[in-house]
Amino acid sequence: MTPTRALLALSITALLGLTACTRQPSPDDSRPGAPVATAPDGETADEFIARVNREYKAMYPELTSAQWLSSTYISEDSQRLAAKANERYLGQLNRWIEQAKRYEGQQMSPETARAIRLLKLSTAMPPPKDPAKLTELTEIATRMEGMYGAGEVCTGEGAARTCKQLGDLEDVLRSSRDYNEQLGAWRGWHTISPPMRQDYTRFVELVNDGAQNLGFADAGEMWRSGYDMSPAEIAAETDRLWGQVKPLYEQLHCYTRTRLQAEYGADKGAAAGGMLPAHLLGNIWQQDWGNIWDILAPYPNAGSLDITTALDAQYQQAYAKQIAQAGAAVATPAVLVEAEQAAKLANAKQMTERAQDFYVSLGMPKLPESYWTKTQFIKPRDRDVVCHASAWDMNMEGDVRTKMCIKPNEEDFTTIYHELGHVYYYLAYNDKPPIFQQGAHDGFHEAIGDTIVLAMTPQYLQSIGLVGEQQQSNEALINAQMRMALAKVSFMPFGLMIDRWRWGVFDGSITPANYNKAWWDLKAKYQGVAPVDARGEQFFDAGAKYHVPGNTPYTRYFLSHVLQFQFYKALCDASGFKGPLYECSFYGNKEAGQKFQAMLSKGASQPWQQTLKELTGGEKMDASAVLEYFAPLQTWLTEQNEGRTCGWQASATPAASSVPAPAPAPAAAPPARSKPAAG
Ligand code: X8Z
Ligand code: ZN
């Protein structure tokens, strides 16, 4: 996620803090950049935006610090401070937006008009005007994120009690091929979210209130307003783009079902209606199927692209080194635990240096020293943290960080490249006015690192010693394409369905009484995925996906999965590459790097269509580069699926059990107290 500035989109939940004390800012507040309570008389629109930019930048570090602490040290105290900082920021945002009304209908420069528009859209959590409601909203938001971060599944009693956190359950889906063990892990993680249901229901009411104050029909319409086109147009664009990719996804789905049935048997390998069983795809949310490579590999003997084994070997080496350094004291459990933690950290840094090296090879700068000292690379042992990966710009002037719980596996390795994409975007636009320090649109921000991931070809992986000598054969090509498709193509319908659900929740077409049914109906419709047994309204399965309690809009990831192929193609062209698209890596190419950097440095200072045109020559998002890239795989899949009945029956999702949704809390009830997540 990306604490994208103005967007503050992230669950970084648009926070900005003022000072630690609670005094109201006043016009004679002498702190540089302190917000003024009332706008000076006669202030022009240009002066107004210049002031907002100053005030925004001045209050930003306190907001990000509070949020950083609450994400890297989940406790009642850190959550209280994060909620308060958020509340102060959102209150200030409301005041700025109120002040901006003076300029409605007036002549002003296009740049200022754009800044005012962006200011109104600068949070994914539109704040209610009523101070009590604002307090309630920020408390709920912080609490839900804390509940997700501290989520764990415990079994047994007394001394036999053991607890598993998300990372442990993900390990089960990654490694176990035992049907019931995977089902247990999948179900286990989904027990963390029913307690969020009531909070989420209220959260929706509160952000809708905020969105309506800003003139939007609901929060979903506000989210859809950030694309330099109308909300209806961007919704139609996502349909159009999905229509381009859907035939490819359907082939991949069909092939995957056949392989799952070969592995688990005809009955267990498919769910109702020919859908894929939600717990068998190697990922809790079925958004990336790369972990079941062992089941899906087209040609297991055509050379290995298994980088997880290589990364694990690298970790083992780091561990052996730590043990050797510990010398004679080795035997005590405490020393072994320390050695393990030190080896994890050393290995995580090594993986991150590798990712940095790609960006540096394009001519981008090395990350600042403070990045290496302030980043959270691995999961600490002594406290709960939000492990979901994110990239942070703490102060708009170089204090950039990432927050992850890195493990030595392929998924985390590519996620580091993804996160550094955000970081390099931050650094590239840091000299723009703060309101323009965002992605051209949020899908651009998500696509930067992933564009680099597309350039991580088998040859690149070989050059950095993560895979061995590569065969030049059609089998090897299909393997490489499949590896990429399991990360990219399988993601696309997931990327779409999350906000189809939230748009419906925000506009009221999905009610709390139908939250779970609507969730699984959309999973069925877009992904062709189903749970193996009924998931009635006693569950809240949407809440088990980080971005729902974290309130991070998700359409950005769908758009990113289209855009990254357009960016990749443009950078391949810039590098002078002439072969088939899927063979291109622009590693080390300074021309490609310059073009990329030019785009990044624009931030949100102009409509994204213009920024896209400068990079690719075209002004539209378009999935034809996705199809061009995967052309060999699509042909191969079609051959493999010949004679099979493909597709699925979305209406076959197991009927919800008769347990109704929990009764909604009375509207006026105070928010439930935050359960201390730690400490
Ligand atoms: O949330 C993320 C990134 C941070 S912006 C790790 N992603 C989405 C997810 O994990 O659900 C990247 C791909 C999709
Ligand atoms: Zn991201």
Side-chain angles (χ1 to χ4, degrees):
M1 108 190 36
T2 91
T4 14
R5 215 75 28 85
L7 267 207
L8 294 188
L10 169 64
S11 64
I12 181 189
T13 39
L15 335 153
L16 258 226
L18 303 182
T19 61
C21 59
T22 52
R23 72 197 156 125
Q24 286 299 310
S26 70
D28 29 52
D29 190 325
S30 56
R31 289 165 303 148
V36 297
T38 46
D41 280 346
E43 188 177 47
T44 66
D46 287 352
E47 286 162 355
F48 166 68
I49 282 302
R51 175 169 62 79
V52 171
N53 274 321
R54 273 195 314 277
E55 293 176 353
Y56 179 35
K57 185 167 176 178
M59 69 194 307
Y60 190 68
E62 195 166 303
L63 172 67
T64 53
S65 287
Q67 183 72 9
W68 175 265
L69 287 177
S70 82
S71 296
T72 60
Y73 199 127
I74 301 176
S75 76
E76 202 174 357
D77 296 313
S78 65
Q79 291 193 317
R80 180 177 299 119
L81 295 178
K84 275 292 159 207
N86 201 10
E87 185 182 329
R88 282 196 297 273
Y89 169 65
L90 291 174
Q92 183 56 41
L93 180 61
N94 265 342
R95 285 189 285 280
W96 286 327
I97 291 170
E98 197 57 42
Q99 292 166 8
K101 288 191 178 150
R102 289 174 298 169
Y103 307 105
E104 276 169 15
Q106 284 189 17
Q107 280 292 326
M108 63 184 88
S109 69
E111 196 171 87
T112 294
R114 180 171 178 79
I116 291 179
R117 252 194 330 275
L118 290 179
L119 182 68
K120 266 179 81 173
L121 295 169
S122 71
T123 174
M125 206 169 92
K129 273 192 182 146
D130 174 348
K133 285 185 180 170
L134 177 57
T135 306
E136 188 185 356
L137 174 63
T138 58
E139 284 181 2
I140 291 177
T142 307
R143 182 165 60 241
M144 287 195 300
E145 177 147 24
M147 285 166 89
Y148 186 95
E152 58 181 11
V153 184
C154 300
T155 50
E157 296 293 329
R161 183 173 164 84
T162 56
C163 295
K164 286 190 167 166
Q165 298 189 327
L166 176 58
D168 306 315
L169 300 167
E170 288 184 291
D171 286 347
V172 173
L173 295 195
R174 181 179 304 113
S175 310
S176 170
R177 294 295 166 257
D178 181 286
Y179 183 94
N180 287 322
E181 198 183 352
Q182 292 177 84
L183 186 55
W186 186 88
R187 281 184 183 148
W189 182 246
H190 288 78
T191 62
I192 66 119
S193 47
M196 296 172 193
R197 184 187 250 270
Q198 190 176 321
D199 266 348
Y200 193 75
T201 306
R202 180 67 180 146
F203 177 85
V204 170
E205 291 169 1
L206 292 168
V207 289
N208 273 344
D209 179 326
Q212 282 151 12
N213 287 334
L214 294 175
F216 299 98
D218 62 76
E221 190 189 80
M222 178 169 164
W223 287 8
R224 293 190 298 278
S225 299
Y227 294 95
D228 295 307
M229 55 173 66
S230 74
E233 281 166 341
I234 187 65
E237 277 295 88
T238 58
D239 282 336
R240 180 180 66 77
L241 296 167
W242 172 233
Q244 288 184 278
V245 184
K246 197 169 167 225
L248 173 59
Y249 179 76
E250 284 170 350
Q251 293 293 331
L252 184 63
H253 182 282
C254 195
Y255 168 80
T256 301
R257 183 174 62 206
T258 307
R259 287 290 178 110
L260 286 176
Q261 287 182 307
E263 173 80 15
Y264 296 100
D267 276 3
K268 288 188 160 174
M275 291 186 276
L276 307 178
H279 65 290
L280 292 182
L281 290 165
N283 175 280
I284 296 198
W285 311 278
Q286 312 85 43
Q287 66 184 73
D288 180 330
W289 307 347
N291 286 331
I292 56 166
W293 175 257
D294 51 314
I295 296 174
L296 299 181
Y299 298 106
N301 299 324
S304 168
L305 283 171
D306 175 9
I307 68 176
T308 297
T309 302
L311 291 168
D312 198 54
Q314 193 178 286
Y315 163 71
Q316 297 299 343
Q317 262 180 17
Y319 182 63
K321 195 169 151 196
Q322 291 297 329
I323 295 287
Q325 276 170 9
V330 141
T332 72
V335 168
L336 290 179
V337 167
E338 284 305 317
E340 189 182 74
Q341 200 70 357
K344 282 181 184 166
L345 181 61
N347 187 56
K349 284 189 177 171
Q350 206 181 331
M351 289 164 72
T352 309
E353 278 161 8
R354 186 47 84 193
Q356 174 188 238
D357 168 71
F358 201 123
Y359 290 86
V360 171
S361 88
L362 301 177
M364 297 187 189
K366 281 195 157 190
L367 296 167
E369 186 50 34
S370 60
Y371 170 84
W372 297 99
T373 52
K374 294 181 174 177
T375 278
Q376 178 193 294
F377 289 100
I378 58 169
K379 188 172 187 305
R381 294 180 50 244
D382 60 346
R383 59 186 193 266
D384 285 323
V385 300
V386 178
C387 274
H388 191 87
S390 53
W392 298 62
D393 184 351
M394 302 297 291
N395 62 357
M396 307 188 197
E397 47 190 38
D399 181 357
V400 286
R401 309 176 190 175
T402 51
K403 177 185 64 58
M404 287 185 67
C405 298
I406 298 176
K407 290 183 185 173
N409 62 55
E410 172 170 2
E411 208 177 334
D412 282 7
F413 189 51
T414 54
T415 299
I416 300 170
Y417 285 69
H418 173 96
E419 295 307 333
L420 291 196
H422 291 306
V423 168
Y424 277 101
Y425 215 159
Y426 298 147
L427 294 172
Y429 58 47
N430 265 169
D431 56 1
K432 283 273 176 296
I435 294 175
F436 292 153
Q437 291 196 32
Q438 317 180 43
H441 69 50
D442 54 6
F444 279 61
H445 229 299
E446 297 304 336
I448 307 310
D450 282 21
T451 302
I452 306 283
V453 170
L454 290 175
M456 294 167 74
T457 54
Q459 285 65 36
Y460 165 77
L461 295 171
Q462 186 191 333
S463 75
I464 61 172
L466 283 184
V467 300
E469 183 79 24
Q470 293 297 298
Q471 275 187 24
Q472 298 297 317
S473 66
N474 194 53
E475 278 83 0
L477 167 63
I478 295 301
N479 276 353
Q481 290 247 300
M482 181 64 82
R483 168 181 164 267
M484 209 53 106
L486 294 179
K488 303 294 179 191
V489 179
S490 60
F491 179 83
M492 287 180 164
F494 179 76
L496 204 57
M497 63 77 46
I498 299 246
D499 280 355
R500 288 291 190 273
W501 184 79
R502 276 190 298 201
W503 293 351
V505 165
F506 288 134
D507 75 16
S509 57
I510 297 172
T511 63
N514 287 316
Y515 274 176
N516 230 39
K517 178 179 186 318
W519 177 258
W520 286 106
D521 284 352
L522 288 164
K523 298 278 290 181
K525 177 178 171 188
Y526 287 103
Q527 291 183 276
V529 160
V532 290
D533 43 26
R535 304 291 300 175
E537 298 300 329
Q538 71 273 38
F539 297 108
F540 178 49
D541 292 326
K545 174 67 194 165
Y546 171 76
H547 302 67
V548 173
N551 196 42
T552 308
Y554 214 84
T555 304
R556 60 182 61 185
Y557 301 106
F558 173 75
L559 298 177
S560 148
H561 277 67
V562 173
L563 279 171
Q564 60 192 252
F565 285 87
Q566 293 179 264
F567 295 171
Y568 172 66
K569 186 174 160 73
L571 297 183
C572 289
D573 287 348
S575 74
F577 180 81
K578 291 282 181 277
L581 187 56
Y582 50 78
E583 273 180 8
C584 159
S585 178
F586 46 77
Y587 176 79
N589 190 284
K590 302 284 185 289
E591 284 77 23
Q594 239 169 30
K595 265 206 120 165
F596 215 17
Q597 185 71 11
M599 176 174 97
L600 301 185
S601 64
K602 286 275 158 66
S605 61
Q606 61 187 21
W608 64 264
Q609 290 88 341
Q610 179 61 26
T611 307
L612 185 63
K613 193 172 175 188
E614 285 163 13
L615 183 72
T616 67
E619 292 187 349
K620 276 182 97 114
M621 295 184 276
D622 185 70
S624 52
V626 180
L627 302 180
E628 180 184 341
Y629 181 96
F630 285 116
L633 182 69
Q634 186 152 17
T635 305
W636 184 86
L637 284 170
T638 310
E639 282 163 19
Q640 298 295 308
N641 293 330
E642 212 174 297
R644 291 182 192 142
T645 309
C646 290
W648 61 89
Q649 217 187 319
S651 58
T653 301
S657 70
S658 56
V659 183
R673 275 314 307 153
S674 171
K675 162 174 112 36

